[in-house]
Amino acid sequence: MDDYRRIADAVAAEIAAGRLRPGDRLPPQRAFARRRRIASSTAARVYGELARRGLVVGEVGRGTFVRAAVQEPALADPGGAPVDLQLNFPVLPEQAALLSASLASMLRPDVLAEALRPGGVTGTAAARTAAAELLHRTGWRPSPSRILFTGNGKQSLAATIAALVPVGGRLGVEALTYPVVRTICARLGITLVPLEMDEHGVVPDSLRAAAVRAVYLQPVLHNPLGVTMPAHRREEVVAVAEELDVPIIEDAVYTFLADEPPLAALAPDRTVLVDSLSKRIAPGLTLGFVVPPDRLFDDVAAAVRGGGWTASRFATDVAAHHIADGTAAVVQRAKRADAMARQRLVAGKLDVRADPRAYHCWWELPPPWRADTFVAAAAREGIAVTPAAAFAVGAAPNAVRLALASPPIEQLGAALDVLARIARGTPELGA
């Protein structure tokens, strides 16, 4: 093995062992060369190899820093950072007691015996009725007969994409999009085509030029930007989709925080709406919903079955119970208030782009910070944030997403103070 690679392996081992932490600055290359008794050219190759492996990031004139591990937030397991502003799963302190009381009647042997029976993609009549009640919004209520159930929202997306876009096909997505969609499409052999965005969401004309088989959109509380399409933009997007005869996959996962009319209300014959319970109620109660139009119903149902993504009967029965007795509505109202309280906290500390109803915000970093070095500096302080690159299909802007839902609100406030302090400093100071 080349000498520079052996030395890079040694530095990588120090990073893996925690002796070099995210945000630590490596010595200048000449100092590194003297310390290791190697040529300066070899030191440059070592630093280049570490950068190629994604372990360090360099800034001209400032130095080379150990990089924080960049995980796609929607795919990562809960991390080890003391303050997690990367994953966005709101669980309120009071909701366990609410759910426990709601579940008490399900523990009767006769009720539980039914819940332990095999499930199906269409669930039970009670589950479909309950889901229609949960998913309805101003101007739109799905027909219970058109609701399909999956194990979680990611499975709903995978089944819908597989049903609408063939291997080798093209899926249009917002230029900043949900990272799971990128992974799903990579596994399905589908090419993502980034669509231009502005302050109102996706730009309709960019869809005309994309030549795609379907388009995936987050029109309400977009992740990561927090943008909600105004009525005129929704109408324009739907008009172009109708003109091109392109089906729309509408991700409604954050709509429980904002009662906005869906694209499905404007284009019911071409929109497949996808939602889940993980954020509405809790990540431990996973259940996905798919609402396809009649003409696509059989194709999407077949994809759910074929992918092994059918929900369990127990999950659908538990969800139906929480919805029918009003527990889900109580939790949803509490989370709306909680999200707004957290946004008010952020607004007093950082200059971010955010919808006051959302559980996340988008922070365009001040110079001289870059997203990579800022993520590393935050990690050194025990705070996990997500760089724009995790969401970008193409070039990534110099920004990070802050997921606000996971830490207790007092801990969130303290973490925001630390992030503000880091941003006021410079990368070479690590703070």
Side-chain angles (χ1 to χ4, degrees), residues 171-191:
L171 176 69
V173 297
E174 290 129 329
L176 294 165
T177 194
Y178 180 34
V180 163
V181 171
R182 301 192 317 181
T183 305
I184 289 170
C185 289
R187 292 185 177 276
L188 293 176
I190 292 169
T191 299

Side-chain angles (χ1 to χ4, degrees), residues 2 14 26 38 56 62 123 191 210 235 247 310 342 411 422 430:
D2 294 336
E14 292 185 49
L26 298 185
I38 59 177
V56 301
R62 296 193 175 88
T191 299
E235 292 169 359
T310 304
R342 289 167 186 263
Q411 188 183 52
I422 293 172

Side-chain angles (χ1 to χ4, degrees), residues 323-411:
I323 297 164
D325 71 2
T327 300
V330 171
V331 172
Q332 178 171 296
R333 286 194 296 271
K335 287 187 176 181
R336 287 186 174 187
D338 181 60
M340 294 181 74
R342 289 167 186 263
Q343 287 288 358
R344 287 193 295 271
L345 186 62
V346 175
K349 297 176 183 291
L350 302 176
D351 182 15
V352 299
R353 182 196 302 187
D355 187 302
R357 302 168 292 182
Y359 262 128
H360 57 273
C361 58
W362 186 247
W363 190 8
E364 295 170 349
L365 295 170
W369 284 101
R370 278 176 34 189
D372 284 340
T373 47
F374 188 85
V375 169
R380 189 175 181 181
E381 298 281 354
I383 304 170
V385 302
T386 309
F391 305 93
V393 184
N398 189 41
V400 295
R401 187 198 72 164
L402 306 181
L404 308 177
S406 297
I409 196 162
E410 298 82 6
Q411 188 183 52

Side-chain angles (χ1 to χ4, degrees), residues 246-272:
V246 171
I248 299 169
I249 303 169
E250 179 175 10
D251 190 338
V253 70
Y254 281 113
T255 58
F256 73 97
L257 296 172
D259 186 12
E260 299 275 354
L263 298 175
L266 297 174
D269 295 332
R270 71 176 55 258
T271 303
V272 182

Side-chain angles (χ1 to χ4, degrees), residues 91-133:
V91 178
L92 304 180
E94 67 270 22
Q95 74 178 68
L98 286 169
L99 298 176
S100 176
S102 175
L103 283 173
S105 65
M106 282 203 68
L107 300 181
R108 286 173 25 203
D110 58 328
V111 176
L112 188 58
E114 284 298 310
L116 296 178
R117 295 170 62 84
V121 294
T122 57
T124 64
R128 291 192 298 274
T129 299
E133 174 62 26

